[in-house]
Amino acid sequence: MLETRLDTARIRAARHVIDPVFLDTPLYRCEALEPGLGCAVSVKLETANPVRSFKARGTEVIASRLADEGPRAAVCASAGNLGQALAWSGRGRGLDVTVVASRFAPVVKLDRIRALGARLELVDGDFDTARERAVAIARHDGIRLVEDSLDIETCEGAATIGLELVNTAPSFDAVLIALGGGAMATGVGHVLKALAPGVEVICVQPLGAPAMTHSWRQRRVVTTDSTDTIADGVAGRRPIPEVLDDLLLVADDAVLVRESSIIAGMRMLLDHAGLVVEPSAALGVAAILEDRDRFAGRHVVTVVCGGNVDMNAYHRWIGAAPVRGS
């Protein structure tokens, strides 16, 4: 295996500083999904934790180091999930956390960032606009800028998911990973290529936010002017070169899926697995729906990476009536 920025020994060490509440998340075969998908499907559930996403695996590593070494303040740009995770990890270690987000981000995510005690600054624009503002704050205030996917801690924290996957039985043939900035894809991909090289690593992105997939296919950074997807958690326009370099070494494929397939995946996860998930978490199921022949007869793991979703939007998407009194 060629060298990525990640280190397997550091990934193993990360498990010792991550709060156990975020580790050893449920992994189970979901037979109820299989008739509709035509293959054996296991779910790695990263929503059953205090911030409802995998992101705290990385922020726990960052916050632990800041608490030991300083500065005891940090700022990040976030589509919502990283901000919650950094706020949670920082609160537990007495860190001052600022989160910059688009004012168009889901309200449920913004409200939870505030509830966790972080300072929240909203910008007009998308995630990449928020990233520019976070950079400016970090420079002006002299505090730690946390950049998802670029900061190796975010990738190696997410990579602990991979350790849990390779330690399971029975083995599986492929893993489907939502692709946004690339922390989870490069982290899990690094571990699988190092410890289970026979497993196919397939990254999944929406057609409406294809920058990283186009970059992977062309082996160079490709940016887009805008995004158009309900999967806000993966809606970036400007891939990070260092992250792309890692992804090129560990990903076997990167695929794009339609919005209708994402919504169908969310509905299947609700109807057959009892899971309420955000759109990014349904990308793996969407990929199977769009290419059943590819996965027929195989055992596939999909990482259900987040469950922070605006419920009014969720009910519109899946066509279900809102619960009375909600």
Side-chain angles (χ1 to χ4, degrees):
M1 176 180 171
L2 299 176
E3 292 295 321
T4 70
R5 295 178 302 144
L6 288 78
D7 179 82
T8 304
R10 287 200 308 261
I11 295 166
R12 295 187 189 279
R15 285 183 56 88
H16 299 293
V17 300
I18 298 172
D19 189 313
V21 74
F22 299 109
L23 297 173
D24 301 311
T25 51
L27 173 65
Y28 57 95
R29 184 167 169 180
C30 188
E31 295 185 13
L33 284 170
E34 295 175 4
L37 296 178
C39 61
V41 181
S42 287
V43 170
K44 179 63 169 166
L45 187 61
E46 290 295 309
T47 64
N49 63 58
V51 298
R52 302 185 191 179
S53 84
F54 76 96
K55 295 287 189 181
R57 291 178 183 254
T59 60
E60 283 287 277
V61 180
I62 291 172
S64 175
R65 292 179 180 173
L66 287 178
D68 291 339
E69 305 167 8
R72 299 185 65 84
V75 58
C76 74
S78 176
N81 286 346
L82 179 72
Q84 290 180 69
L86 186 61
W88 194 95
S89 297
R91 185 181 66 176
R93 293 170 176 83
L95 306 181
D96 182 19
V97 172
T98 299
V99 178
V100 185
S102 168
R103 67 179 67 258
F104 307 110
V107 173
V108 63
K109 295 183 178 182
L110 301 179
D111 286 347
R112 288 177 181 151
I113 290 170
R114 294 187 184 98
L116 288 166
R119 182 182 301 105
L120 179 63
E121 180 173 326
L122 301 179
V123 297
D124 292 314
D126 59 10
F127 171 79
D128 289 294
T129 305
R131 179 194 287 173
E132 293 171 359
R133 176 57 183 157
V135 170
I137 291 172
R139 288 175 178 166
H140 182 270
D141 295 348
I143 62 177
R144 167 69 185 267
L145 173 66
V146 176
E147 290 203 75
D148 198 14
S149 304
L150 177 60
D151 287 0
I152 201 65
E153 300 99 328
T154 63
C155 304
E156 292 182 343
T160 59
I161 297 170
L163 291 179
E164 293 165 18
L165 290 176
V166 299
N167 289 331
T168 190
S171 61
F172 47 92
D173 303 305
V175 61
L176 294 160
I177 308 172
L179 179 60
M184 182 167 59
T186 58
V188 175
H190 172 92
V191 171
L192 291 174
K193 290 309 171 189
L195 303 179
V199 174
E200 188 177 18
V201 176
I202 304 170
C203 304
V204 191
Q205 203 165 36
L207 271 168
M212 186 62 101
T213 295
H214 287 332
S215 299
W216 182 86
R217 291 176 177 175
Q218 297 184 35
R219 304 188 68 84
R220 63 178 181 86
V221 170
V222 177
T223 62
T224 60
D225 294 330
S226 62
T227 61
D228 183 16
T229 179
I230 63 172
D232 59 284
V234 294
R237 296 184 287 113
R238 304 172 188 167
I240 299 168
E242 295 91 333
V243 182
L244 175 61
D245 289 343
D246 291 339
L247 191 69
L248 288 169
L249 295 175
V250 302
D252 295 300
D253 200 3
V255 301
L256 297 170
V257 295
R258 298 184 297 269
E259 297 293 291
S260 59
S261 300
I262 298 171
I263 293 170
M266 294 170 70
R267 185 180 295 117
M268 287 190 74
L269 287 166
L270 175 64
D271 291 346
H272 302 298
L275 298 175
V276 175
V277 304
E278 62 188 82
S280 301
L283 287 169
V285 174
I288 302 172
L289 286 171
E290 291 202 2
D291 197 355
R292 285 182 175 88
D293 289 345
R294 175 177 185 171
F295 299 103
R298 305 177 74 189
H299 183 183
V300 179
V301 171
T302 183
V303 181
V304 176
C305 55
N308 291 298
V309 61
D310 178 274
M311 291 308 298
N312 289 326
Y314 180 84
H315 287 304
R316 291 197 304 272
W317 293 329
I318 67 168
V323 177
R324 292 186 181 276
S326 63

